[in-house]
Amino acid sequence: MPERKEKFYITTPIYYTNGLPHIGHTYTTVVADVLRRYKKMRGYDVVMTTGTDEHGVNVERAAKNAGIPESEFAARMADAWRALWDELGLTADEFVRTTDLRHVRTVQWLFRLCKENGYVYKGHYTGLYCVYDNAFVNEPKPGNLCPDCDRPLETVTEENYFFKLSAFQKPLLDFYKKFPNFIQPESRKNEIISFVEGGLKDLSITRTTVRWGIPVPGEEPHVFYVWFDALNAYLSAVGGPDYEKRGMWPADVHLVGKDIIRFHTVYWPAFLMAAMLPLPKQVWAHGWFLMDAAKMSKSKGNVVLPRPIANMLGMDALRYFLLREIVFGQDGNFSYDALVTRYNSDLANGLGNLASRTAAMLEKNFAGKVPKPGARLPQDDVLAKEAQNAIGEVLERYDQFEFARALETIWSVIAAADKYLTTEQPWALGNSHDEESRKATILWTTAELLRIVAALAYPVLPDSATKVWRLLGQSNAIGTVELDGLHWEQLVPDTTLGKFQALFPRVEKTEAIERIEAMANEELNPTAARAAATSSHSAPPAGAASAPAASPAEKIGIEDFAKVEMRVGQVKTAERIVGADKLLKLTVDIGSEIRQICAGIAQYYEPEALIGRKVVVVVNLAPRKLRGVESNGMIVAASVGPEGRPVLAGFHEDVEVGARLK
Ligand code: ME8
């Protein structure tokens, strides 16, 4: 019987469905996908799980706002999340929705085990409660106001089931000591240990004030507290009560952001200990991607979306940037500028250029076949050694979750190959037997190096590594290459090369950023952008670079139009933005306030000529940043001619500032 492969089970958090994925969620899921591909290449039987966290007050409220039942709202959102992950090539082996029956059964089963083992009791919970939002509030605003709706909170007592978390202080501390790698990185571990040493209070794990949740069997109207519910997704994904059959539990690594480390390293192991189930082997808490030093959120208007970046630069570029830019475990700033800079320098000029140069020379000199190398010179052996040594080093880095350093090592090999070509100058060699032989050695060496680079980079750059692999005429799937068997001297002479496909075409930075931002604005405000465009006879709004007009098939109802609030504004100041030649920064009086708005009209309007001019402003757009400058609204303009020259919408009669357009 063939020996069973060793298993490796990876999870991402299951994400809340009251919004859509941004770059932060994408980060964790990309890391999980990289590990999944990497571990497969190391011979493991891998399962990766992601999913959606669908219960609780926030979804209840969002569904109410959308005017649809919670189940329908949750289903739509789960579909949207799943579809986006598929589109980005981040398909997990298991996608758990907390409304799945398999999950509901697992949560109820875990509760029963904890209760049977004596760790659950009925009690009362007293806290500040928002009657309007139906939710307990842990961190009220000054004056005991609700942080969500600003209304006064009331002190409410409700009957709850409690979990005896206090009984697990010592078992948890012992566990952390026995398994020193359980919490990663180290700095987080110390934080958790001191939290647990500070004492643990019992935890209320059911609610009677929330409706949209998993019912506690026989105890309605009790539903489970969202975290007792959500954490179980990791188990329900791989069999729930029948986890032994699938053989994947316990998880080898839970990947999470630092915001939810306590739930994963204190509550979750305590629940599992109480139920006498195996504990996960590791929780890895990475840092945050910040925008201007603040955590991203839709209300702040500073979210970065993955799709526009993937559309503009390719998903590989986004994956590379996320892993290369910040050290895994630490916080880092996200900026489009840094993204495009890295794209051009590391990807277009680095890997892309090496692959295209090599492909062109192989095609020209060896009729599209891998040449047979001749005698080696010391410099060939130096490069071979460097590539061979990189293999071990890169695997070590991946094993340690040091993704940035793994990529650094791979890129140092690429740089060495560039230097080698520049010194050896195969293009300058003639047609004598010796020179042909030298050329063959140089190009075989470069091609072999590219093969190794492709295999090592594949977990991070699956699309481009596959292109390089095919170029080198390799017929097996690159994702099935066994990294443990990868070594120098495996490229077989005479192999027919595949067709070269461009990897990373260079982009012009300003234009690339503007296009990404325009796509992001369209995605964040689809109705507003489209309705605004329709309102001025298909004019793209001047704050967004372009917005397709609604096609006849997609007519919008009056209720959609009514969502767009347009008012008459008057320009108070106007100035150019350094580094953004299409944008002007305006301040506009809209009657009730003065707004700062960026408009893509700089190539057609002189700032001074705009002062005092009356314009049409979409005032209820979520704020957003354009080239780092906050824009709080959008100026409406017609788009004229093939180049889309903006012409500001205006009035022939005098209109009052602040008047609403209907
Ligand atoms: O907390 N930078 O879901 P969530 C890096 N449903 N990572 C980020 C990030 C950022 N700016 N923003 C989000 C929940 N993340 C619960 C989880 S699990 C049983 C239940 C990532 O939608 C990061 O992984 O708020 C973070 O922990 C997670 O998204 C939070 O996702």
Side-chain angles (χ1 to χ4, degrees), residues 13-16 22 24-25 27-28 53 81 227 230-231 234 256-260 264 286-290 295-296:
I14 53 163
Y15 303 108
Y16 288 131
H22 60 59
H25 310 111
Y27 181 45
T28 320
D53 191 352
W81 277 76
W227 277 99
L231 288 160
Y234 303 138
V256 298
K258 64 178 187 180
D259 46 334
I260 53 175
H264 285 78
H286 62 67
W288 280 342
F289 262 107
L290 307 170
K295 193 164 183 248
M296 284 174 220

Side-chain angles (χ1 to χ4, degrees), residues 508-572:
E508 200 279 308
K509 192 196 271 182
T510 312
E511 197 181 320
I513 296 177
E514 283 179 12
R515 285 175 63 180
I516 294 171
E517 285 183 335
M519 285 188 269
N521 288 335
E522 168 68 16
E523 201 173 317
L524 286 169
N525 301 297
T527 322
R530 228 177 267 149
T534 320
S535 73
S536 59
H537 303 286
S538 303
S546 71
S551 70
E554 304 176 66
K555 289 227 176 351
I556 60 162
I558 188 75
E559 67 287 355
D560 283 328
F561 177 67
K563 285 185 196 151
V564 184
E565 186 181 341
M566 281 187 283
R567 295 196 178 269
V568 176
Q570 186 167 37
V571 179
K572 291 288 168 200

